[in-house]
Amino acid sequence: MQYWLMKSEPDAFSIADLAAVGEAPWDGVRNFQARNFIREMRPGDLFLFYHSSCNPPGLAGIGEITSQPYPDETALDPKSPYHDPRASNEKLPWLAVKVAHRETFRHLLPLQRLRELPGLEGLSLLRKGSRLSVMPVTEEEWEIMAQQAREE
């Protein structure tokens, strides 16, 4: 099993939204490095759901990857906010996965608190300029963050 951190703006799609529907596509990723991480995902992998571009940003819950990666067809839809005019049926570079809700934390674990936790010094999320919406986390980082989020 692998562990991930996946970001979403809560006004676009939040942990509460995922909890309400149970399972949903995680699509719209338009960064090649993040897309490559999606390519590595497998059903049963877990991810920390991170609310970004809000005040405060932080960890909101846990989800599970429930599908193999598949072509993200939102890139082909001109009405979609994730439309990519360079994409075509013959050349569809973007991937999506289905995800399911597993847990909502009682309280958001804010980014500032994550910066203070020992053992997260190498976490990609905490690097200056890190803007990836999908990133791997180690099992040790996962344990630190999940335990702290459940205690807060």
Side-chain angles (χ1 to χ4, degrees), residues 42 61 64 70 87 111 129 131 137:
R42 297 295 172 260
E64 180 179 341
Y70 59 88
L111 175 61
R131 299 191 41 86
V137 297

Side-chain angles (χ1 to χ4, degrees), residues 126-138:
L126 304 180
R127 287 194 200 117
K128 193 167 189 88
S130 176
R131 299 191 41 86
L132 284 180
S133 61
V134 176
M135 62 192 76
V137 297
T138 66

Side-chain angles (χ1 to χ4, degrees), residues 18-29:
L18 182 56
V21 297
E23 184 180 59
W26 195 278
D27 54 19
V29 173

Side-chain angles (χ1 to χ4, degrees), residues 11 39 48 55 70 77 81 86 92 101 108 111 113 115 117-118 122 131 133 145 147:
D11 59 345
R39 183 179 284 148
L48 291 160
N55 191 14
Y70 59 88
D77 181 359
R86 299 167 296 167
L92 185 54
H101 178 265
L108 187 84
L111 175 61
R113 182 73 180 106
R115 292 186 189 286
L117 293 174
R131 299 191 41 86
S133 61
M145 291 185 284
Q147 178 180 348

Side-chain angles (χ1 to χ4, degrees), residues 4-64:
W4 306 94
L5 186 145
M6 298 166 65
K7 296 181 187 177
S8 180
E9 297 174 12
D11 59 345
F13 189 72
S14 69
I15 190 74
D17 295 330
L18 182 56
V21 297
E23 184 180 59
W26 195 278
D27 54 19
V29 173
R30 298 296 181 264
N31 173 286
F32 286 106
Q33 189 175 4
R35 185 265 334 254
N36 292 344
F37 289 139
I38 290 175
R39 183 179 284 148
E40 297 175 24
M41 292 178 174
R42 297 295 172 260
D45 287 357
L46 297 176
F47 70 95
L48 291 160
F49 197 123
Y50 183 89
H51 283 176
S52 65
S53 299
C54 56
N55 191 14
L59 297 178
I62 294 175
E64 180 179 341

